[in-house]
Amino acid sequence: MPELPEVETVRRSLAPALEGAVVVSVRVDHPRMTRRQPRPRDFRDRLLGRRVNSVGRHGKFMLIDVEGDLTWVIHLGMSGRIRLEATGSDRVPHTHVVVGTDRNQELHFVDPRTFGFIAVFTPDEFDAQPFALLGPDALDDLPRYPQLIPRLANRTVAIKSLLLDQRFVAGLGNIYADEVLHRAHVRPGRPAGTLTENEVRLLRGSIGPVLRAGLRFGGTSLNDLAYLLPDGRAGEYLGRLKVYGRAGEHCGRDGTEITRTVIGGRSSFWCPTCQV
DNA sequence: AACGATCCCTGTTGGC
DNA sequence: TGCCAACAGGGATCGT
């Protein structure tokens, strides 16, 4: 699934292609993909002829600054992919949106499960979106642990669920949340408010290293609906995951069999020995 | 307010 | 081997 490292990997390859480029064509073949656009026609109308200033990111949302005070938002959902192709290239199945630039390139938005979306918002529209309440970016703006302690206090929700709550911190998904909890020696089901100060410190300190490791390897491509880099390469972090998807295998730290439980409706993988 | 449940969607997986 | 139901999951929304 595209989480922060995957989205950041995509952002980095998209930025040089889009920044300074002018949009010369827009095609939407699947109206569901622009469902967050208050008026569906705006997506095309607002991009056509406009120059892209910069390609940013907050959590798993790609935020592309477009001239005219517009923000072009791309969320990959769980099966979304971006392909960067020469103009007129073939479209793979489930290519729902194609945006062409004056550099003879096309951005293909591919999303079999259509959980992702693509839209261009004015500032007011942007602020009205639910994701305007996104928490600090897990890579760039993570608060130091003393600031996190009061935010966990008295919370009964499982710490795993809190890590997945994008209003708490933006960017972690099911894979990296499990990896972060394993690194921090914390069980995913622990009520958030029961973490000691030291555990909060460890957890806080685990987020950056885990995300940067994922980023270093170009993200995680699972074997099914693979997340792929815009040039078609697979991310190579899958083989380096410590717990996610590894039920029945042995924990690299103590050899205990990794277990799978469901927490907050999401499968969670963890070591019953070294995660307390 | 906080939290859990439900829904969206379709390729893949697993059970028979 | 082949079929079909169950599963997967990010985010929004709804009910308690």
Side-chain angles (χ1 to χ4, degrees), chain A residues 21-26 44 47-52 72 99-102:
Chain A
V22 174
V23 173
V24 296
S25 67
V26 176
R44 183 171 190 274
L47 279 186
L48 264 184
R50 286 228 163 74
R51 185 176 302 273
V52 174
W72 175 8
V99 176
T101 74
D102 61 347

Side-chain angles (χ1 to χ4, degrees), chain A residues 17-198:
Chain A
L18 288 185
E19 289 176 354
V22 174
V23 173
V24 296
S25 67
V26 176
R27 180 181 170 125
V28 177
D29 285 335
H30 196 323
R32 178 172 153 81
M33 302 319 300
T34 53
R35 65 195 178 281
R36 306 293 288 273
Q37 196 84 59
R39 287 182 306 168
R41 292 179 47 114
D42 286 341
F43 179 74
R44 183 171 190 274
D45 293 348
R46 288 173 178 174
L47 279 186
L48 264 184
R50 286 228 163 74
R51 185 176 302 273
V52 174
N53 292 323
S54 60
V55 181
R57 180 192 57 76
H58 187 175
K60 307 173 200 172
F61 293 76
M62 254 186 296
L63 305 177
I64 304 168
D65 188 71
V66 175
E67 68 174 336
D69 213 11
L70 296 167
T71 306
W72 175 8
V73 182
I74 301 178
H75 195 290
L76 300 175
M78 71 171 284
S79 61
R81 272 174 52 199
I82 302 285
R83 298 177 69 229
L84 212 44
E85 299 290 327
T87 299
S89 296
D90 290 343
R91 294 166 193 201
V92 300
H94 307 291
T95 298
H96 301 318
V97 179
V98 177
V99 176
T101 74
D102 61 347
R103 295 173 181 169
N104 266 323
Q105 277 190 313
E106 288 175 348
L107 179 158
H108 291 209
F109 186 63
V110 184
D111 188 3
R113 291 181 191 169
T114 71
F115 278 23
F117 73 90
I118 188 163
V120 180
F121 295 120
T122 63
D124 283 351
E125 288 171 351
F126 187 94
D127 291 341
Q129 291 292 315
F131 56 78
L133 301 174
L134 230 45
D137 185 79
L139 199 59
D140 299 336
D141 295 310
L142 194 60
R144 303 217 170 253
Y145 83 93
Q147 272 92 55
L148 292 178
I149 290 169
R151 298 194 55 200
L152 299 190
N154 299 319
R155 299 290 300 269
T156 61
V157 69
I159 186 64
K160 163 82 179 278
S161 300
L162 196 57
L163 289 180
L164 291 178
D165 184 346
Q166 303 298 299
R167 291 164 303 184
F168 178 70
V169 22
L172 293 175
N174 208 33
I175 297 174
Y176 292 97
D178 278 2
E179 295 298 307
V180 165
L181 285 162
H182 180 259
R183 185 178 172 108
H185 296 81
V186 174
R187 293 191 179 212
R190 282 273 299 282
T194 69
L195 268 67
T196 65
E197 292 198 5
N198 192 49

